[in-house]
Amino acid sequence: MAGRRVASGPWDPGLQNERTWLAWQRTALSVLVCTLVMARLLAGHNAAAALVIAGLSTVAMLFLGLSGRHHYVRDQQRLHDGAPVSRIVLPSLLTALFLLLGSSAAIWVIITF
């Protein structure tokens, strides 16, 4: 890795990669808040399930946050090198998390009402 140059500064004046990274941070934070609110509402009915949901959502958001940071650094280097940038895994994980969150909320509403 001695011959590899490190990217310095933004790749483009519009800061596309930086804006994408900030969007991932906002999305991860909003999903975390939604799942914690759902866990808080569920705590009155089933404390164990609420703790599981809160723990899993926290771990998932930490993973997505760290993974997003890794992708940002990797993409920044690729942009400077002129290599293609692709993102398939992170959006897929986030989509799966949203589906899990939405189906859990729907099941909870059906069971409690």
Side-chain angles (χ1 to χ4, degrees), residues 12-107:
D12 66 65
L15 301 174
Q16 175 188 4
N17 198 32
E18 288 74 10
R19 288 193 325 259
T20 303
W21 164 240
L22 290 172
W24 277 111
Q25 286 179 326
R26 286 190 306 270
T27 302
L29 184 61
S30 65
V31 171
L32 178 63
V33 169
C34 289
T35 54
L36 291 178
V37 167
M38 189 174 82
R40 175 66 178 114
L41 293 172
L42 184 61
H45 298 285
N46 190 343
L51 286 174
V52 168
I53 289 173
L56 288 176
S57 65
T58 302
V59 169
M61 287 306 105
L62 285 173
F63 172 75
L64 284 173
L66 293 174
S67 179
R69 177 67 183 164
H70 169 74
H71 284 284
Y72 167 76
V73 172
R74 185 195 69 193
D75 290 347
Q76 188 72 2
Q77 187 64 46
R78 285 183 175 181
L79 287 168
H80 278 279
D81 292 343
V85 177
S86 64
R87 296 181 184 201
I88 295 173
V89 176
L90 197 58
S92 300
L93 289 174
L94 193 57
T95 300
L97 186 62
F98 278 131
L99 288 173
L100 179 64
L101 174 63
S103 61
S104 300
I107 290 170

